[in-house]
Amino acid sequence: MGEELKEKLFNKRKNGWEKTTPEQKQEIFNLSKKYMDFLNSAKTEREFIKQTKKLARSNGFKDIMEYQTLKPGDKIFFVNREKSMYLAIIGEEPIEKGMHIIGSHIDSPRLDLKPNPIYEDTGLAYFKTHYYGGIKKYQWTTIPLSIHGVIVKTNGEKIEINIGEDENDPIFTITDLLPHLAQEQMEKKLKNGIDGEDLNLLIGSMPFDCEKVQEKVKLNILNILNQKYGITEADFISSEIELVPAFKARTLGFDESMVAAYGQDDKVCAYTSLAALMELQNVKNTAVCILSDKEEIGSMGNTGMESHMFDFFISEILNKLGVNKPNLLDKVFCFSKMLSSDVDAAFDPIYASVSDKHNAGFLGNGIALVKYTGARGKSGASDANAEFVAWVRNVLEKNDIKFQLTELGKVDIGGGGTIAYILANKGTDVIDCGVPVLSMHAPYEVTSKFDIYSAYLTYKAFWKE
Ligand code: MN
Ligand code: MN
């Protein structure tokens, strides 16, 4: 009697793998395989856009600039400076009834090269870096790093760099002090153990063969770069070069239930929303997929979500649908619904003390909805309206998708933000909704294949609604 009542009244957390059929498990594994393959060729925002363009075109999407007019069923995309992208499928309903938007970000914490990066010290050549996003600096030393990015010459020629991913490529690394000589360093606070200014990448040690010149090792490296890419030291001024872990995305665990990879925040949500969008044909409300840049440093700049580029894209849709009129853009945003698809902090039993077990996201328990992300009094949070949470909950429940309602850490500890507030400020109903991640922002992040699949199902169901 008590047991039955409990079953009926309690909101019980369930591990998603329980009651998963062998067929479902196979589907879950298949999606993760595709996800890992995609990640391996899309470690940076520019690479992610490049792969997405290919994928979108092969699924019938066209650049919005190729259309004079738009009609329901049309599939479009807009690429913003090769670093962010919006995709849409025009819905059957008039667009003033609102859009269904899913927005993730494709930038991840990393190390960027400084504008004057190269120097030589005591026979070793280095690149100087400035880290991007919230990192624990010590995690980025003594791991294999690869170099990705572009160098743009004054004549507009763009040289793409990708070195350290191929098995035959060299890799690069940042050295750390040996324990024998690290007594002083070990006394420091963890956050001060490695200084930002010391995150210098080791790139060479062989001198140029000439008696007379100084800085022979630097010269030798610049000579190699000149022969390979036709560049000189000055060309680094107009470059965007990122250092990312050279590890491949891999299956994790004896049971093969998890994915370990760099950049899963937030490419896991970006990829799963993209995979869902590619399978849609006709949608009721216009389906919009945002792949934004610069989230990790505050969404600023013209490729970040704070810019008006997204408004421009939606205005173009309104223009090409032939329905635009004063204030229609505002109206469309006010009647839209959005899943801010960004990752959640997964509960880590080793560091249990930072989380409230009753409100933490658990690996393998399905997609995590985060009603608000602010901490210490919900400061700075975009708090989703209960009515909208109920609407989303209904979509998930009727599609039998496992989900969990979570908070990012304990009240006085947690924090962090997403792009949710930006669309919420335009009047859209928004909730954060993504995959729980262990070791978030580390060079190697961990997710559950079950949650990845739940995210894909959630995004698909939301757009189909
Ligand atoms: Mn994120
Ligand atoms: Mn992040």
Side-chain angles (χ1 to χ4, degrees):
M1 162 111 174
E3 274 175 13
E4 268 173 45
L5 201 58
K6 199 174 163 185
E7 187 62 33
K8 186 180 156 198
L9 297 180
F10 276 36
N11 180 21
K12 229 173 61 192
R13 283 180 179 278
K14 280 189 195 113
N15 188 305
W17 294 108
E18 282 168 24
K19 292 185 185 155
T20 299
T21 65
E23 292 76 29
Q24 285 169 327
K25 203 171 149 191
Q26 196 51 52
E27 265 185 60
I28 291 170
F29 279 27
N30 288 347
L31 180 75
S32 285
K33 169 81 174 65
K34 282 195 258 174
Y35 164 57
M36 288 188 281
D37 288 345
F38 194 91
L39 268 189
N40 286 335
S41 61
K43 287 193 174 181
T44 65
E45 56 280 40
R46 284 178 188 271
E47 290 170 357
F48 202 100
I49 294 297
K50 204 173 164 184
Q51 298 301 329
T52 302
K53 264 198 274 185
K54 261 193 249 170
L55 185 69
R57 283 210 184 270
S58 70
N59 282 281
F61 285 74
K62 283 199 271 184
D63 194 317
I64 189 168
M65 298 309 174
E66 294 170 30
Y67 282 96
Q68 295 302 316
T69 60
L70 288 170
K71 57 175 191 317
D74 284 343
K75 298 176 171 187
I76 48 177
F77 65 78
F78 176 77
V79 176
N80 179 12
R81 295 170 172 87
E82 309 298 323
K83 293 194 281 188
S84 67
M85 185 167 175
Y86 320 119
L87 303 97
I89 302 175
I90 305 299
E92 310 285 346
E93 291 279 350
I95 195 161
E96 24 185 315
K97 291 198 171 174
M99 310 174 289
H100 285 191
I101 306 167
I102 297 180
S104 60
H105 65 92
I106 52 172
D107 60 317
S108 302
R110 61 179 189 249
L111 308 176
D112 284 347
L113 288 202
K114 291 194 183 197
N116 303 298
I118 190 165
Y119 76 98
E120 174 178 342
D121 192 347
T122 332
L124 298 174
Y126 296 94
F127 275 154
K128 293 201 69 71
T129 71
H130 193 140
Y131 62 92
Y132 173 98
I135 61 164
K136 292 163 97 172
K137 283 166 268 183
Y138 69 88
Q139 293 177 334
W140 293 75
T141 63
T142 69
I143 57 167
L145 294 166
S146 56
I147 300 177
H148 299 236
V150 294
I151 297 171
V152 187
K153 294 201 181 182
T154 47
N155 65 4
E157 186 196 345
K158 199 183 282 182
I159 299 146
E160 284 185 31
I161 312 271
N162 182 318
I163 180 161
E165 296 296 332
D166 191 287
E167 285 299 307
N168 299 312
D169 284 350
I171 55 94
F172 307 86
T173 198
I174 293 166
T175 56
D176 191 6
L177 205 48
L178 62 167
H180 319 63
L181 298 177
Q183 282 90 333
E184 257 181 55
Q185 183 194 39
M186 300 291 261
E187 294 299 329
K188 290 183 184 173
K189 281 187 173 174
L190 197 52
K191 69 170 186 174
N192 302 327
I194 304 287
D195 199 37
E197 210 57 64
D198 291 339
L199 289 173
N200 300 322
L201 190 73
L202 184 58
I203 55 169
S205 64
M206 198 188 284
F208 186 81
D209 193 9
C210 170
E211 277 295 308
K212 288 178 194 153
V213 292
Q214 298 284 308
E215 301 181 281
K216 293 184 182 67
V217 179
K218 174 177 168 178
L219 179 63
N220 193 42
I221 296 290
L222 282 172
N223 190 38
I224 291 167
L225 293 177
N226 183 260
Q227 282 169 3
K228 189 165 177 179
Y229 302 111
I231 57 165
T232 67
E233 186 176 8
D235 290 319
F236 282 106
I237 294 167
S238 47
S239 72
E240 283 181 352
I241 297 177
E242 307 175 9
L243 312 180
V244 298
F247 331 125
K248 296 266 178 273
R250 301 285 291 267
T251 281
L252 175 71
F254 285 116
D255 53 11
E256 304 188 11
S257 62
M258 294 168 278
V259 171
Y262 162 72
Q264 299 205 70
D265 174 9
D266 183 32
K267 295 183 187 80
V268 65
C269 296
Y271 177 79
T272 45
S273 61
L274 204 55
L277 188 76
M278 292 304 124
E279 289 174 12
L280 294 180
Q281 289 307 334
N282 297 306
V283 288
K284 209 165 90 190
N285 294 86
T286 295
V288 180
C289 179
I290 297 171
L291 305 174
S292 69
D293 180 30
K294 296 289 182 282
E295 192 278 340
E296 294 294 357
I297 57 168
S299 296
M300 296 302 180
N302 63 8
T303 59
M305 260 332 268
E306 288 271 14
S307 102
H308 287 228
M309 292 302 294
F310 184 60
D311 297 14
F312 163 71
F313 173 66
I314 302 302
S315 291
E316 272 298 281
I317 292 179
L318 300 180
N319 290 336
K320 292 186 173 179
L321 282 170
V323 298
N324 212 356
K325 57 191 178 196
N327 302 325
L328 182 61
L329 182 65
D330 291 338
K331 188 177 175 187
V332 169
F333 280 133
C334 290
F335 286 94
S336 290
K337 294 180 170 68
M338 181 192 188
L339 299 181
S340 161
S341 50
D342 205 342
V343 295
D344 186 25
F347 178 83
D348 188 333
I350 300 173
Y351 303 100
S353 65
V354 299
S355 300
D356 161 20
K357 255 189 175 173
H358 302 289
N359 287 282
F362 289 86
L363 216 67
N365 283 21
I367 186 117
L369 302 185
V370 187
K371 192 172 177 293
Y372 48 86
T373 54
R376 292 168 287 275
K378 294 193 178 181
S379 180
S382 164
D383 198 345
N385 299 305
E387 292 84 351
F388 180 56
V389 182
W391 184 89
V392 173
R393 199 181 134 200
N394 180 46
V395 172
L396 291 163
E397 284 177 359
K398 74 183 182 194
N399 286 285
D400 200 20
I401 298 167
K402 287 220 172 62
F403 67 96
Q404 40 186 336
L405 247 300
T406 77
E407 228 184 10
L408 206 141
K410 275 186 176 167
V411 174
D412 289 328
I413 293 178
T418 65
I419 61 169
Y421 75 94
I422 300 166
L423 272 288
N425 286 351
K426 294 182 198 287
T428 301
D429 262 316
V430 187
I431 187 166
D432 279 304
C433 173
V435 173
V437 175
L438 287 170
S439 308
M440 196 196 291
H441 284 204
Y444 225 29
E445 301 173 317
V446 174
T447 55
S448 159
K449 291 183 180 177
F450 181 83
D451 301 333
I452 295 169
Y453 193 70
S454 301
Y456 156 80
L457 292 179
T458 300
Y459 302 150
K460 202 161 156 182
F462 172 77
W463 271 324
K464 276 188 155 176
E465 194 53 41

